[in-house]
């Protein structure tokens, strides 16, 4: 129905931003991945978390649609940002009204092993990581704060690893995504 379309128009100050874990690099940033492999002389059979580096880099992209459809039956989702090329910094603003910003708490999660390896081996700063890769957050939802616990519980029941990554604030001159 038209009134159930998730188009970002219901996003408001105080909405919580909920991240859904990625399965890895997904399919973005591979030009930089290739460059890091070249400059580091990496051995693709070396350990990277619980996998080899090669396995970590080619883990298939997660598909979220079934769980998001089920979630929308239980919780009001105001916006959905798929974190693809452009990372958190460029994808979240696409679903926000112009007067709002997303404040992301970088301490709310730990970078998965493959992203730690990329950052260390490529000497990549935090902002470039957040602009290029999903950094472990493959999807970000904007939800009403009063539904935070219900949405997180529903996502976990669906098998998702989900956490609050930040919130929506008024935008007053700063960028649309504030990394804090």
């Amino acid at each position: 129905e038209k009134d159930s379309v998730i188009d970002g128009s219901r996003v408001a100050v105080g909405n919580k931003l909920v991240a859904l874990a990625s399965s890895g690099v997904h399919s973005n940033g591979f030009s930089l991945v290739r460059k890091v492999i070249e400059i580091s002389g990496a051995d693709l059979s070396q350990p990277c978390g619980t996998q080899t580096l090669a396995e970590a880099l080619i883990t298939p992209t997660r598909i979220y649609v079934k769980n998001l459809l089920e979630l929308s039956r239980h919780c009001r989702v105001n916006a959905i940002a798929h974190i693809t090329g452009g990372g958190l910094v460029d994808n979240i603003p696409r679903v926000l009204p112009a007067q709002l910003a997303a404040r992301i708490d970088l301490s709310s999660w730990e970078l998965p092993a493959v992203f730690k390896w990329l950052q260390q081996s490529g000497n990549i700063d935090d902002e470039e990581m957040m602009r290029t890769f999903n950094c472990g957050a493959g999807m970000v939802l904007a939800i009403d704060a009063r539904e935070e616990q219900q949405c997180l519980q529903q996502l976990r029941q669906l098998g998702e690893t989900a956490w609050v990554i930040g919130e929506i604030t008024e935008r007053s001159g700063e960028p649309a995504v504030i990394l804090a």
Side-chain angles (χ1 to χ4, degrees):
E1 295 299 317
K2 188 176 182 178
D3 62 341
S4 358
V5 172
I6 301 170
D7 63 3
S9 63
R10 295 187 308 250
V11 176
V13 170
N15 277 183
K16 296 297 182 178
L17 296 170
V18 174
L20 280 66
S22 69
S23 54
V25 180
H26 288 183
S27 55
N28 300 103
F30 273 92
S31 293
L32 183 52
V33 169
R34 188 171 32 260
K35 181 79 170 169
V36 172
I37 290 169
E38 288 171 6
I39 64 168
S40 70
D43 174 1
L44 293 175
S45 64
Q46 74 185 60
C48 185
T50 60
Q51 309 172 286
T52 66
L53 179 58
E55 291 167 333
L57 290 170
I58 64 167
T59 299
T61 301
R62 291 221 35 242
I63 305 298
Y64 300 91
V65 67
K66 287 181 183 177
N67 286 347
L68 290 177
L69 286 170
E70 183 62 26
L71 176 69
S72 69
R73 293 191 237 297
H74 302 279
C75 298
R76 181 176 168 162
V77 178
N78 297 327
I80 301 173
H82 188 203
I83 310 305
T84 59
L88 293 160
V89 174
D90 289 342
N91 286 287
I92 294 174
R94 294 179 183 152
V95 300
L96 298 180
Q99 75 278 13
L100 300 178
R103 180 173 296 280
I104 304 294
D105 178 1
L106 295 176
S107 70
S108 67
W109 81 104
E110 185 176 335
L111 281 180
V114 68
F115 297 107
K116 286 180 184 177
W117 180 85
L118 284 163
Q119 186 169 30
Q120 291 167 356
S121 298
N123 194 28
I124 305 168
D125 67 35
D126 288 342
E127 189 168 330
E128 184 63 22
M129 289 292 294
M130 294 297 155
R131 186 175 303 286
T132 304
F133 301 111
N134 67 57
C135 294
M139 188 74 68
V140 175
L141 315 175
I143 60 164
D144 292 337
R146 66 183 178 273
E147 292 191 16
E148 175 184 337
Q149 290 309 310
Q150 177 187 353
C151 288
L152 287 171
Q153 180 180 10
Q154 182 67 36
L155 285 164
R156 290 175 184 140
Q157 286 175 355
L158 292 166
E160 294 290 344
T161 299
W163 68 97
V164 174
I165 195 172
E167 69 180 352
I168 300 297
T169 62
E170 290 284 342
R171 185 174 178 193
S172 55
E174 68 268 341
V177 174
I178 303 146
L179 303 173

